[in-house]
Amino acid sequence: MRKDVPKIVVARLPVYLRDLSQLRDEGKEVTSSQELGKRLGISPAQIRKDLSHFGEFGKQGTGYNVSYLIEQLRRILHADRNWKIILVGAGDLGHAMVHYTGFRKQGLHIIGVFDNDPQKIGQRWGELTVMDASTIEDFIQKENVRIVILAVPAKVAQQVADRLVNAGIRAILNYAPIVLHLPNGILVEYIDPVVHLQYMTYFLE
Amino acid sequence: MRKDVPKIVVARLPVYLRDLSQLRDEGKEVTSSQELGKRLGISPAQIRKDLSHFGEFGKQGTGYNVSYLIEQLRRILHADRNWKIILVGAGDLGHAMVHYTGFRKQGLHIIGVFDNDPQKIGQRWGELTVMDASTIEDFIQKENVRIVILAVPAKVAQQVADRLVNAGIRAILNYAPIVLHLPNGILVEYIDPVVHLQYMTYFLE
């Protein structure tokens, strides 16, 4: 049944998981599609429908067991495993990513940082040392890395992405402000704050 | 006619604008929905339909004048104005935002940075000095700021957002990993890399 799940549904699951984790941190043991819906600004019916793609997680009238639903969502999203991630581009943004504590607790581990700037190669970033970009392919293959955070300038992003995919990368979180052209089956997600800001200024006077 | 434009269409306009700007930088003077579609992975028919909400921008058979379409999209998105933005939260991510050169060329100007950490207040960040968060309201009102980039920890994000909205903020680019509850009419966009990464790990073996 997994194949039929619309992407937009899958995209909401991490948001559900994040909010459920917050509920658990607040000491809540049971919740409902009503409560979640109110917290997330999503209709309770939508939440129930989204979850129903993956099974039965609550009982009519008694709601969802928070810990159980967290566990199930983590399983569905493969967030119950440890994922090795490399970061390419050791600029300010990359620096922020490496020091962000929100990844590790989700099993997302940045295990390598790469740049081609001799000034940056060898820098100590927390537990990591910035490595020479020419060694990326070897690292990907040796460590069996599938996910990359791409934080390089737009003008080199396509070329770097091609190299990464050739070396075995399957998923790219792309911070470079361009659309990447990659073979079918390679996953790409985009983060560009300018796009979000311009979406909002459209609605501002 | 603007009121009827679906949000999903508006959300694509900044991506069109970004790509057209890149085409112009490459020296292209004319393009087509075919070319744009291929570059962006969007069907040419979709692009034509999206743009048709706002007028006639190309001639049958001759395509779009790149500079003209850029100018029109900037006007539609209100990207032809200068927008004052404040950043709240002077952590690593905030630091990267302030030093990101991609904002200014789009008329997006971070004019103030705030934090409540005495260690950070007074720090010089490029042309800016980190200011005491207790002075945010005065600053917003004095400078007539409408947009904020919120890069504070999740546990204080709602409370800070409430203060900002009370002071006159209308649009929030939220990097804190929680859903904010705000009055109708306040715009919020979310950026959470964990959500994007978990969306991708769903599809990975």
Side-chain angles (χ1 to χ4, degrees), chain A residues 3 14-16 36 58 76 109 120 128 154 163 177 197:
Chain A
K3 280 194 179 167
V15 178
Y16 297 161
L36 283 174
I76 292 164
H109 301 273
K120 286 181 181 154
L128 300 171
R163 274 182 58 193
L197 288 166

Side-chain angles (χ1 to χ4, degrees), chain A residues 2 7 18 22 38-39 77-78 81 106 177-178 181 189 192 196 198-199 201-202 204-205, chain B residues 2 7 18 22 38-39 77-78 81 106 177-178 181 189 192 196 198-199 201-202 204-205:
Chain A
R2 293 279 290 264
K7 287 183 178 179
R18 191 180 70 185
Q22 198 183 325
K38 198 173 170 196
R39 290 169 61 97
L77 289 166
H78 302 154
R81 313 180 194 170
Q106 298 299 331
I178 66 157
H181 297 101
E189 288 282 294
D192 182 349
H196 291 280
Q198 288 182 334
Y199 172 79
T201 59
Y202 171 88
L204 292 178
E205 292 308 298
Chain B
R2 294 279 289 265
K7 288 182 177 179
R18 192 179 70 185
Q22 199 183 326
K38 198 173 170 195
R39 289 169 62 95
L77 290 166
H78 302 154
R81 314 179 193 170
Q106 298 299 330
I178 65 157
H181 296 102
E189 289 281 294
D192 183 349
H196 290 280
Q198 289 182 333
Y199 172 80
T201 58
Y202 171 89
L204 292 178
E205 293 310 300

Side-chain angles (χ1 to χ4, degrees), chain B residues 97-171:
Chain B
M97 305 295 279
V98 163
H99 291 85
Y100 181 53
T101 56
F103 288 138
R104 188 158 300 200
K105 66 178 96 163
Q106 298 299 330
L108 301 163
H109 302 273
I110 297 177
I111 63 161
V113 183
F114 296 88
D115 207 292
N116 64 0
D117 179 350
Q119 305 268 2
K120 285 179 182 158
I121 296 165
Q123 276 186 15
R124 195 84 192 151
W125 282 18
E127 294 170 8
L128 300 171
T129 301
V130 179
M131 290 180 277
D132 187 332
S134 69
T135 66
I136 292 180
E137 284 89 345
D138 287 349
F139 190 88
I140 289 170
Q141 280 149 24
K142 194 177 126 222
E143 295 287 345
N144 202 24
V145 180
R146 292 289 166 264
I147 307 175
V148 64
I149 296 172
L150 191 59
V152 299
K155 65 179 185 295
V156 298
Q158 180 65 55
Q159 170 196 336
V160 173
D162 289 339
R163 275 182 57 194
L164 295 167
V165 169
N166 282 336
I169 289 294
R170 298 287 315 283

